[in-house]
Amino acid sequence: MKKTHIKISAALALLLAISACTGKNNNVSPSPTSGQTATASPSASGVTGTSFENWGSYGYSLANTRHVPFKQISADNVKDLGVIWSAELKALDPDVKNGNQSYPVVVDGVAFITTAGNQAFAFDAVTGKTIWHWKPSAEQAATFSKAGIIANRGVAVGEGKVFMLAVDNSLISLDQKTGQLVKMIKLSEYIDGVTLENGYYETTAPQYYKGNVYIGSSGGDNGIRGFVAAFKASDLTPAWDSPFWTVPPKGQDWLANSKFQGGGAVWNPVAIDEETDIMYFATGNPAPDFYGDNRPGDNPNTDSVVAVNAMTGKIVWAKQEVSHDLWDYDAGASPMIIDATVKGKKQKLVVQGGKSGLWFAWDAATGDAVWDGIPFAKIDHPKPTPEGVVGYPGVLGGENYAPEAYDPVTNYVLIPGIEQPSIFKAAKNEEEAATPNFPGAAAFGTVTAEVPDVKGYGTITAINVDTGKQAYQIKTTDPQRGGLTSTASGLAFFGELDGKLNALDIKTGKVVWTFQMAGDNVQAAPSIFTVDGKQYIIVTTGGSKPKVHLFGLGGDKTQGTAGEANSGGAHSSP
């Protein structure tokens, strides 16, 4: 039985791609540079194309539906897809770290990609030429290993700037055209205690809306106090009077007797309703994991979806998916805002699937439950004991951080799932729940163990929003970590941990196309855009040779070599 201390929240998969690579130390500091730098390609004077349909943010639109209205690539011609270009990120800069979880953003013919280790690239989306490249200084990058995690999930674009978070709790603004640093702040300048030393770090993508940049907080298992905050895009000063804190201060309310700050991290980007200015975000588990004696009650706003006013940060409603969590069952993935048919009538919903294996839908305005916990995974939640109990789903999912997609034609929500049980072992006391020997860790919980002779696998589940019932569920060889993107032609695209990219017929659940990319570990969903009317698909892969791949009709159909899928955790015992 393999035993590991692991980070068991939505961010547990943050280093999957990194751990899937080589036996080398993946947190080695980059080679020295003269400072934060941006370099432009001398051959790139602009971009290809004159008309653009963009993939403008993490989830396509701020509603995070990951559904595009494009129809050029269909079930009839998907067999003609091939690689237009690919780029090996380490060949462009050897300081790029192993693994990749970047969700590409494509604006006006430029594809923006981030890397593990917090570098950023701007590519001509059609040709793959590097337009600019930004990297942190060697001195800054040397601090990243304090978090134990070096992943980055992407950027936001607005007001002529590209916004990115770095693992050391920096918010960065770059010039959209040149990549030059406009401004960088440390969140601790405005939010007390948000430092690596206190267990905070940042791996998520920000969102831009109406002059503000919205961010969440990583590190919930470290016993940090989770929050969402807004900063002005113009100068990176706070846009709200204070952050929205997901849990009370240490020593108050249900944390009155706890030595930790309660958790409730916001692992993934917020969703924003542009009609109402209401912002929705999902929160992670309470801390410490597996030990709840000193955090009595429901532990409100953990494992929840929360709605606040995006302009003020004031709460509108909050709904909890798992009360008094003892299994690390984050609501980790970003919520979606959908206009769907429910019980025969049109209704605006907020939907989200959790690591608990349950999927939820609420009325977007009121938070009233519409579908209250539809199972999409095997569920068995015994209370953890010091000796250990087997629980389903395990610490990696249900639905981990990978995003869902919505198809308005079928009215299906597509959920990326993980079927992989864990042995849950409870701490005997609060002192045992602390794990200070891991980078950045304060409250990861106790020993967990893999279930012997049980291999995890993935699922894609289609939920009919009208009825709340499964339309179908398919099985994939490896756990689903990347997420899905759907199109108006009835296809949904998703990757797998061995480097495959697939097209799913949304109506039938049949995989109609598979391409083996020359890269491991697809751990981010593809983005889809058009240039001059031609539809393209862009996706990143990880492993020891992280890459970017662009697909289009008529591209190179040469299949690559299957990569090695690895579903290990972010933190292993020394």
Side-chain angles (χ1 to χ4, degrees), residues 62 159 208-214 233 274-277 311:
L62 291 172
E159 300 185 13
Y208 170 84
Y209 178 62
K210 284 189 175 180
N212 293 338
V213 179
Y214 295 94
E274 298 181 64
E275 295 179 344
T276 65
D277 286 343
M311 298 296 101

Side-chain angles (χ1 to χ4, degrees), residues 449-508:
E450 299 174 358
V451 179
D453 303 319
V454 176
K455 183 182 183 300
Y457 62 91
T459 60
I460 295 174
T461 305
I463 299 287
N464 185 327
V465 182
D466 188 41
T467 64
K469 297 183 182 301
Q470 285 191 18
Y472 56 79
Q473 183 179 84
I474 69 168
K475 179 179 177 179
T476 61
T477 302
D478 297 307
Q480 284 296 307
R481 300 202 181 279
L484 299 114
T485 303
S486 63
T487 73
S489 64
L491 297 179
F493 292 88
F494 67 96
E496 297 194 66
L497 290 180
D498 63 358
K500 288 187 178 67
L501 182 66
N502 303 301
L504 177 80
D505 183 297
I506 297 171
K507 186 175 182 179
T508 65

